Amino acid sequence: MGRRRESGQRRGVVAPPGRPPAGSPAGGSSGPAGPAGSDPGGAQDGIAQIDCAILKQSFAHIEPVAEKAVGYFYARLFMANPELRSMFPPAMDIQRKHFLTALARTVWSMDDPQALAEYLCQLAVDHRKFGVQENHYQVIGETLVATLRTFSGGLWTARAQSAWETALDHIATVMTQAARDNETEPAWWLGEVVSHDIRGPDLAVLTIRTDPAQPLRYLPGQYLTVQVPRWPRLWRKYSIANAPRPDGSLDLHVRAIPMGRVSGALVHETGPGDTVVLGPARGTMIVDDRSSRDILCVAGGTGLAPIKAIIEGLADTTVPRPARSISLFFGARRREDLYDLPDLRRLESACSSLRVIPALSHEPGFAGLQGMLPEIVRRHGSWPDSEVFVSGPEAMVRGTLRVLGHRTSGEHIHLDDPGAMDSRAPGQDLRPCAIAAPTHRR
């Protein structure tokens, strides 16, 4: 049993610069439900003008010095445009990693115009909470080209410069249009913590309520960013752990990680009555309700959050959809780490098509399945006709993909980028460029 924090004093919130929801300092409408306003036809036309090969080649060349290059990029950006510094957090370490990750994904997605457009549109909508303006894209593009030229040495050519300038013009066009399409909607939402349930020394389940009149729209499986009062302009990503509710509340499963400013504040310093700021929903790990394929879910640790939301959505009998069986493998190290198993059992009782299979890797006396989760999944089926959803620590995700890669085609394996979530076990960070070349996996 978890324990709930007593109500505490409501704390003030530093409002982000983007357009707030109605009922806060300025007006607005509702947030996005899924990938924002992409235009695959326009994206295809724009990318046709880009030399993708030279783009990837020049980007790959700077990967060994990527962290140094990104540090140079921000130093140059702020020196020439000091007014932009206030848009960023005081400590830039995580921001630099996020920028490099986004740039890597953009470069390696150039061959998939629709996926790139969906990603850029979500990125643009999310960036509205920072107060990004249209003129900022040109400044950032010019600074990035200068950075790439500086760190490419003698390999930088006129062809490479032309390719990057064309690509950055395309990126700016897509993101600017997406921001315009969403300018009547809030850039962020205020959320009140209504429940704070301690599930372990470093783990809490928070229920946060937004204004039902101004709903934060999302699809089961998506994530959002969170800012806490103590750390203004510092945003961290967390998966939403429930399907949408009429009262506008949502659950977050948060593990406090070492040196994690936001995660530590959410687990150890937050209680009912406190206020947080939420960014728009993002992510593509969502279910196609038209499919009749069975569902395999593999979740480790707090990676359970988006998986639970997906299962709750599938269990909603008010939505017409084909009948599908759902198998959930929920893995952890020890018994106490199966922090949400009682709720999963209740969900299993209410949903006849769901089978919950817990597994532990470091509990010899456990009566259930024992071992590493990828190996357990391998032993219990081949899953050739299933839609697969995977979420959790990087090593578990990678291992599961290796097990299922030759059994299920990539288009039926769904995950958001490993490293997208901030609530993970220590030592599970990816190198920023390790997401290169995302295939059909989503």
Side-chain angles (χ1 to χ4, degrees):
M1 287 287 291
R3 63 187 187 277
R4 298 180 183 274
R5 293 279 296 274
E6 297 297 327
S7 295
Q9 182 179 359
R10 191 180 178 113
R11 300 170 189 167
V13 173
V14 177
R19 180 183 178 91
S24 44
S29 177
S30 59
S38 59
D39 176 8
Q44 182 73 57
D45 293 342
I47 287 186
Q49 310 299 319
I50 299 173
D51 189 338
C52 295
I54 191 65
L55 205 70
K56 294 178 180 180
Q57 180 182 347
S58 59
F59 182 74
H61 178 71
I62 71 161
E63 278 191 312
V65 292
E67 292 185 10
K68 184 177 180 180
V70 173
Y72 174 89
F73 165 82
Y74 278 113
R76 183 171 182 136
L77 179 68
F78 297 149
M79 185 175 296
N81 308 273
E83 72 280 4
L84 298 183
R85 184 63 183 88
S86 63
M87 296 169 61
F88 295 86
M92 289 289 293
D93 50 342
I94 301 298
Q95 173 61 33
R96 287 192 291 267
K97 293 172 82 173
H98 285 173
F99 177 80
L100 187 54
T101 298
L103 182 60
R105 177 166 177 173
T106 300
V107 169
W108 296 110
S109 297
M110 283 290 174
D111 293 331
D112 189 342
Q114 182 168 349
L116 177 62
E118 291 178 356
Y119 176 67
L120 292 177
C121 287
Q122 288 195 16
L123 203 61
V125 171
D126 185 66
H127 278 30
R128 293 176 60 239
K129 68 177 184 274
F130 300 117
V132 172
Q133 304 296 317
E134 293 186 10
N135 63 297
H136 293 154
Y137 289 106
Q138 180 178 353
V139 172
I140 289 171
E142 291 172 350
T143 307
L144 181 57
V145 168
T147 300
L148 291 165
R149 182 171 59 244
T150 299
F151 283 84
S152 294
L155 295 180
W156 187 257
T157 63
R159 181 184 170 195
Q161 175 140 345
S162 176
W164 276 98
E165 289 175 345
T166 303
L168 291 169
D169 283 346
H170 172 70
I171 291 167
T173 298
V174 173
M175 294 183 70
T176 298
Q177 187 58 53
R180 288 174 182 168
D181 291 343
N182 286 269
E183 62 187 2
T184 61
E185 300 174 349
W188 47 268
W189 289 256
L190 290 177
E192 179 185 356
V193 178
V194 296
S195 173
H196 187 281
D197 191 7
I198 299 294
R199 301 287 181 90
D202 59 352
L203 180 65
V205 173
L206 286 74
T207 300
I208 300 170
R209 184 172 55 215
T210 58
D211 184 354
Q214 302 292 331
L216 194 165
R217 301 182 192 273
Y218 65 92
L219 297 173
Q222 291 190 306
Y223 61 89
L224 48 66
T225 51
V226 179
Q227 177 186 272
V228 296
R230 182 174 178 179
W231 299 106
R233 303 190 305 280
L234 193 62
W235 298 83
R236 292 293 179 265
K237 304 182 183 80
Y238 296 97
S239 288
I240 304 168
N242 59 282
R245 297 168 178 155
D247 67 354
S249 67
L250 53 87
D251 296 339
L252 301 180
H253 296 185
V254 182
R255 185 182 300 279
I257 60 177
M259 305 301 292
R261 304 177 187 94
V262 176
S263 65
L266 288 172
V267 172
H268 300 302
E269 302 169 12
T270 300
D274 289 338
T275 301
V276 296
V277 185
L278 307 174
R282 295 173 56 190
T284 58
M285 193 175 73
I286 55 180
V287 173
D288 181 358
D289 282 332
R290 299 164 299 178
S291 173
S292 60
R293 294 169 65 94
D294 290 339
I295 301 286
L296 168 64
C297 297
V298 185
T302 53
L304 173 67
I307 299 297
K308 185 180 181 184
I310 287 170
I311 293 173
E312 279 193 9
L314 289 169
D316 182 0
T317 57
T318 65
V319 178
R321 56 169 62 92
R324 314 165 79 168
S325 70
I326 309 167
S327 298
L328 165 61
F329 288 85
F330 178 30
R333 292 173 63 86
R334 296 182 175 84
R335 195 185 307 268
E336 58 268 24
D337 298 324
L338 296 173
Y339 65 93
D340 209 38
L341 189 57
D343 207 37
L344 292 177
R345 291 302 189 198
R346 286 190 288 271
L347 188 57
E348 186 178 36
S349 298
C351 179
S352 60
S353 62
L354 172 62
R355 184 170 59 120
V356 176
I357 305 119
L360 296 179
S361 60
H362 291 71
E363 187 89 23
F366 182 57
L369 298 178
Q370 297 185 44
M372 303 305 290
L373 199 52
E375 176 61 20
I376 288 173
V377 172
R378 185 192 67 78
R379 293 201 311 259
H380 284 77
S382 56
W383 321 104
D385 301 316
S386 297
E387 293 290 330
V388 181
F389 296 84
V390 187
S391 179
E394 179 203 345
M396 185 280 288
V397 172
R398 298 289 194 205
T400 303
L401 296 184
R402 282 194 296 270
V403 165
L404 298 176
H406 64 285
R407 303 182 181 197
T408 304
S409 62
E411 65 188 284
H412 296 298
I413 300 178
H414 309 269
L415 63 149
D416 275 314
D417 299 324
M421 300 301 101
D422 293 292
S423 183
R424 68 163 59 81
Q428 295 300 329
D429 287 330
L430 279 178
R431 291 189 308 106
C433 293
I435 65 162
T439 59
H440 293 289
R441 298 190 181 111
R442 302 179 65 191

